[in-house]
């Protein structure tokens, strides 16, 4: 029995270390004559989706009635709140400094912003700007499953937490408040700096891409992933389009 438990422990450690090694394998190098990836994320069968949550706690801060959470936002034929990224690129440009530390504010019982982006291995700061207790709870999204990452109560106004985020398998986290069920947000956690959030027209641009063939993916917190293969030439431009 003891040997069986030892074997299970070794296997678990191997899985954990493998996941961390994959997250840390990206190397920052100087990119000369990099290409540009551009495109758009559109709606096909997807429609705008909003859900109303009854505000049942702390009305003096959170308000009254219902809180609408816009799970899917569109603008004409464009899908908003979507991140486009290159998957599994070994080396390239450096992460922007702002991606290494991001902040989520809890203000009037809302997470601000609704969608954040950060580098895997960076720090997430959560601030409670309200005079009521919040409990920020983040989950790594792994397919249809999810794994708890942060679970911290913040009972005092002005309280801050700062946590390093190291996701093992997923590329994003769902953010919830265990006190207020109407508070929701998402954080995209990038394994490399080749990602972009679409603008209000659903458009994106990713620059400084080393020449090569890549799997390019789009990610939406509610609608999931799409992917396609793209070849980027040195100094050239390549287009990627996604439809949900």
């Amino acid at each position: 029995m003891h040997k069986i438990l030892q074997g299970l422990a070794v296997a678990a450690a191997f899985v954990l270390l493998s996941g961390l090694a994959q997250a840390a394998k990206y190397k920052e190098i100087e990119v000369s004559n990099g290409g540009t990836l551009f495109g758009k994320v559109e709606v096909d069968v997807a429609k705008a989706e909003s859900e109303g949550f009854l505000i049942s706690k702390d009305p003096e801060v959170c308000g009254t009635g219902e809180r609408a959470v816009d799970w899917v936002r569109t603008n004409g034929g464009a899908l908003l709140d979507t991140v486009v990224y290159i998957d599994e690129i070994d080396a390239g440009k450096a992460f922007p400094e702002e991606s290494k530390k991001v902040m989520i504010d809890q203000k009037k019982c809302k997470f601000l912003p609704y969608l954040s982006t950060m580098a895997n291995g960076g720090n997430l700061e959560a601030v409670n700007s309200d005079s009521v207790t919040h409990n920020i709870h983040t989950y790594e999204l792994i397919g249809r499953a999810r794994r708890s990452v942060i679970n911290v109560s913040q009972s005092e106004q002005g309280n801050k937490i700062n946590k390093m985020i190291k996701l093992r398998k997923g590329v994003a986290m769902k953010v919830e408040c265990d006190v207020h069920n109407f508070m929701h947000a998402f954080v995209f956690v990038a394994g490399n700096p080749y990602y972009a959030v679409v603008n209000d027209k659903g458009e994106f641009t990713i620059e400084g891409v080393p020449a090569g063939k890549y799997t390019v993916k789009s990610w939406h917190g509610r609608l999931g992933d799409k992917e396609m293969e793209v070849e980027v030439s040195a100094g050239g431009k390549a287009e990627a389009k996604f439809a949900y």
Side-chain angles (χ1 to χ4, degrees), residues 23-228:
K25 71 179 182 180
Y26 180 79
K27 294 182 180 180
E28 296 183 355
I29 61 172
E30 183 177 349
V31 178
S32 59
N33 203 26
T36 299
L37 178 65
F38 72 99
K40 188 173 183 179
V41 182
E42 301 174 320
V43 291
D44 180 13
V45 296
K47 297 181 180 179
E49 180 185 351
S50 182
E51 183 177 359
F53 290 83
L54 179 65
I55 299 177
S56 58
K57 294 181 179 179
D58 304 315
E60 69 281 3
V61 174
C62 302
T64 59
E66 281 194 346
R67 171 73 56 80
V69 176
D70 296 323
W71 297 116
V72 180
R73 296 192 308 136
T74 62
N75 182 21
L79 179 65
L80 308 183
D81 303 319
T82 308
V83 181
V84 177
Y85 66 102
I86 295 178
D87 189 33
E88 296 185 359
I89 178 170
D90 294 329
K93 66 183 181 180
F95 277 94
E97 283 301 314
E98 60 268 22
S99 72
K100 299 176 183 178
K101 184 175 182 179
V102 298
M103 186 186 79
I104 293 178
D105 195 2
Q106 296 156 100
K107 191 171 185 179
K108 294 184 179 180
C109 302
K110 286 185 178 181
F111 289 120
L112 302 173
Y114 174 75
L115 174 62
S116 304
T117 61
M118 66 179 297
N120 200 14
N123 290 325
L124 176 65
E125 183 178 275
V127 181
N128 182 5
S129 294
D130 290 335
S131 57
V132 297
T133 297
H134 290 302
N135 191 105
I136 186 168
H137 201 160
T138 72
Y139 300 88
E140 178 180 6
L141 300 177
I142 309 169
R144 295 184 178 181
R146 60 188 203 171
R147 178 184 70 91
S148 182
V149 179
I150 296 175
N151 187 2
V152 178
S153 177
Q154 296 177 276
S155 59
E156 296 183 1
Q157 189 172 25
N159 179 266
K160 297 181 180 180
I161 62 168
N162 198 321
K163 298 286 186 179
M164 186 185 77
I165 303 299
K166 180 69 77 171
L167 299 192
R168 302 173 187 174
K169 297 180 179 179
V171 297
M173 295 189 298
K174 175 73 186 303
V175 186
E176 299 177 1
C177 176
D178 288 344
V179 180
H180 306 95
N181 71 341
F182 47 84
M183 294 177 62
H184 299 272
F186 292 93
V187 180
F188 179 82
V189 183
N192 65 71
Y194 292 102
Y195 64 91
V197 180
V198 300
N199 62 19
D200 60 359
K201 296 179 181 178
E203 301 167 339
F204 68 90
T205 301
I206 301 174
E207 298 179 328
V209 182
K213 294 181 180 180
Y214 301 103
T215 298
V216 180
K217 295 184 177 181
S218 61
W219 173 88
H220 186 276
R222 188 71 160 183
L223 301 177
D225 302 285
K226 300 281 185 178
E227 67 176 65
M228 65 179 296

